[in-house]
Amino acid sequence: DIFETMASQTPVQRDVIIAIDFGTTYSGFGYVFLNASQNHIYVFQKWGRGQGMGYGKTPTALLLTEKGEFHKFGHAAVETYGKQAMSKKDCKKLLYFDKFKLLLHSKKDLNERTEVKARNGKKWLALDVFAKCLEYLKKTATDVVNERHLRSEKDNPNTEVMYKPEQIQWVITIPAIWRISAKEFMRKAAYKAGIASPEDPDQLILALEPEAASYYCRKLPFDMFKGQKGKELVKDTLDMEKVPYMVVDNGGGTLDITVHEVNADDGHIMEKHCPSGGTFGGIHVDQEFEQLMIKAFGDDFIRRFQEQFPNDWQVIMNRFEEQKRAEEEVDNDEISIALPLNFIKSCHHDIEEDDDAINERIRRSCPENVSVSSDYLNITMGMLGNLHRPIVTKIAEKMKSLLAKQSLQDVKTIFLVGGFSEAQFLRREISRCFPDKRILIPPDPQLAIIRGAVEFAQEPSLLRARVMGKTYGLNTCIVFDPEKHPLEKRLVSREKVYCRDIFKTLAKKGERIDIDEKRTYNFFPINPDSTALSFKFYSTDEDEADFISDPGVVSENVEILIPSPNTAKGCDRELRVEVKFGGTETNVQVIDVESGNIKMVCLQLVSTSLIHSRFY
């Protein structure tokens, strides 16, 4: 053999599934006992108990000590950071992180050394921040599962008192629009948090958020959706109609849209169109609110307050987050946000002495829409709608552009899931823009992904094929042809002449690829003494490319490293790379062509400038 083969592993029996929805703004988890008498999905609904609350999700907020040690997560982190009793000095020392998940969507050169900035301006390793969050969620979920297990031993008579780590099947939800490097980063963060390991990678499933939500929504009867009637299951109707349906995941940070269709022959689900979306999340409403505060109270005042009282500003933003979800059925003309004492004092000191004078100042820039009374900030529902309008319009326009495609003309049903789908202004706009569509909003749309992720882990192969959003290829070399190849690509090695930087296409944009389909590439090393070989992944929005230096070709910032310690055959070592693009992650294995031995290969984030041996 030209490389050491991996020892075969016996599949491990999992007894419980725990799914973590790690969101931009909020996170939570759910679970199911696989050996229980009933396949009941539990969603943890007690977040915020320490603050006298009970929610199905908690803020994705992390508080570390000055030395980077774990301090608080979720509601506790927000509260601790925002407490008035905390001195300004201590607040500057603590490292507070929130909304950092967006980094994984925007960072093109993401790697293990990537840093994220805390609220006080100090930078910290992003991998460590993600891992500490996941570690806390893992511990909380494991404790909750074991506690319920102890209370219901009659459903699990033959199991141990406590679940062993290897008995748990983990699921982490991720946006469908993420790049390969972002998915790999999340897996590495999970490993660092003690969720699965490179030795048992199958213990962790990365589930795409809109896909997971569709698993849950399809199984519900119509009368469980907002404004719908009928006891028949949505799944049965979709199977009968035999037309595509759209899943729109409106999260705090990103918009994630997928379109599925049902295979009439076997009932399997297939992607009809590649995932699309972008950073069109609910946090844009928060940004509009901040601009409203600047307009009402003045830029200098707000900036100065943010700098002097960052914890109090966080309190205002958190209270707005709660109030902006006002239900449309409630008879109210405005929302009221309790203002911290320091804000009131600063207003009286820097602007005017009493509320009437402050309101007179506000009315000059925000007539009739914003006011202050009895330590409350009052915002009319009309103004709240204005704060939503820019991002809501963008979401509707994105959906319109997709539904205008010829292949999606027959979409009848749209599922709205994710926390931002609770916003009445978003629901109204989508209903207005698509009157001919069946708009289905499940109960607790922010929890649909958690519930669906648990179901996805039990039947991941129900979704059989996915559509490529880009053309993917590897960087390789071929024999130099002076008739076709530019001179600057010429590479001489061991008296042989090659052309470098070749884009070897493995999957083309728009292709629908089955989850078990393999794309292969056979190669030989150029250097006979090479003990390790590497391929880097590249992509383009075009249908094809010749070189990795072509316009529009970008690095996916991941590579596969192939150990080949036995160099006895030198350059005659023939290896075959097999890549599966149809799953939620890109999976790779390498085969020694002569012996037939197979080795699974892990993707690596590109974080060094080390040059590995070339191949052709």
Side-chain angles (χ1 to χ4, degrees), residues 544-545 613:
E544 56 186 25
S613 179

Side-chain angles (χ1 to χ4, degrees), residues 462-477:
L462 176 63
L463 203 155
R464 287 300 310 177
R466 293 178 176 85
V467 178
M468 297 295 99
K470 298 179 179 180
T471 296
Y472 293 96
L474 299 174
N475 174 20
T476 185
C477 298

Side-chain angles (χ1 to χ4, degrees), residues 87-102:
S87 71
K88 183 179 176 183
K89 181 179 178 182
D90 289 340
C91 189
K92 288 287 187 180
K93 285 184 178 181
L94 291 174
L95 304 176
Y96 181 81
F97 302 91
D98 66 347
K99 300 178 178 64
F100 49 86
K101 185 185 170 187
L102 285 173

Side-chain angles (χ1 to χ4, degrees), residues 384-486:
L384 185 59
N386 291 341
L387 299 182
H388 282 75
R389 185 167 294 114
I391 192 61
V392 163
T393 301
K394 287 182 180 178
I395 291 171
E397 289 299 323
K398 182 66 178 177
M399 293 172 62
K400 284 180 184 177
S401 68
L402 282 172
L403 291 171
K405 294 182 181 297
Q406 187 62 40
S407 62
L408 304 183
Q409 290 289 301
D410 50 354
V411 169
K412 288 185 178 180
T413 302
I414 300 175
F415 294 106
L416 292 186
V417 299
F420 193 44
S421 290
E422 295 184 82
Q424 56 170 297
F425 304 102
L426 175 64
R427 298 199 299 253
R428 283 182 194 167
E429 180 66 9
I430 291 179
S431 296
R432 185 188 69 81
C433 292
F434 308 103
D436 60 330
K437 307 298 181 187
R438 182 193 293 132
I439 310 296
L440 298 182
I441 307 171
D444 287 330
Q446 68 166 336
L447 302 182
I449 293 168
I450 294 178
R451 299 181 190 278
V454 174
E455 296 192 8
F456 177 81
Q458 297 177 74
E459 199 177 6
S461 60
L462 176 63
L463 203 155
R464 287 300 310 177
R466 293 178 176 85
V467 178
M468 297 295 99
K470 298 179 179 180
T471 296
Y472 293 96
L474 299 174
N475 174 20
T476 185
C477 298
I478 62 175
V479 175
F480 188 83
D481 183 348
E483 300 293 326
K484 300 193 305 184
H485 299 143

Side-chain angles (χ1 to χ4, degrees), residues 21-38:
D21 181 6
F22 188 74
T24 301
T25 51
Y26 289 92
S27 295
F29 66 86
Y31 54 96
V32 66
F33 298 107
L34 295 176
N35 298 320
S37 56
Q38 292 184 333

Side-chain angles (χ1 to χ4, degrees), residues 280-324:
F280 306 138
I283 60 171
H284 287 275
V285 182
D286 300 343
Q287 294 166 3
E288 292 290 331
F289 171 70
E290 182 173 342
Q291 291 303 309
L292 175 65
M293 293 291 283
I294 290 172
K295 185 178 180 181
F297 295 95
D299 184 74
D300 290 342
F301 174 80
I302 293 297
R303 299 304 179 199
R304 186 163 56 249
F305 183 81
Q306 289 173 329
E307 183 178 342
Q308 293 177 348
F309 304 101
N311 45 350
D312 284 309
W313 179 255
Q314 187 62 41
V315 169
I316 293 174
M317 295 304 297
N318 293 337
R319 289 173 180 171
F320 172 72
E321 175 68 29
E322 294 177 3
Q323 289 292 324
K324 77 180 184 184

Side-chain angles (χ1 to χ4, degrees), residues 180 468 470-473 503-507 538-539 556 581:
I180 297 175
M468 297 295 99
K470 298 179 179 180
T471 296
Y472 293 96
F503 184 97
K504 172 59 182 178
T505 300
L506 293 180
Y538 287 81
S539 66
E556 284 293 313
F581 287 98

Side-chain angles (χ1 to χ4, degrees), residues 6 26 44 161 175 211 219 222 236 239 251 254 262 299 341 347 363 411 426 450 482 486 495 507 539 550 590 602:
M6 179 182 291
Y26 289 92
F44 183 64
V161 175
E211 288 185 2
K219 293 184 177 181
F222 275 100
D236 295 339
D239 290 351
T254 55
V262 179
D299 184 74
L341 180 60
C347 280
R363 272 193 288 272
V411 169
L426 175 64
I450 294 178
E495 300 181 353
S539 66
D550 286 355
V590 180
C602 295

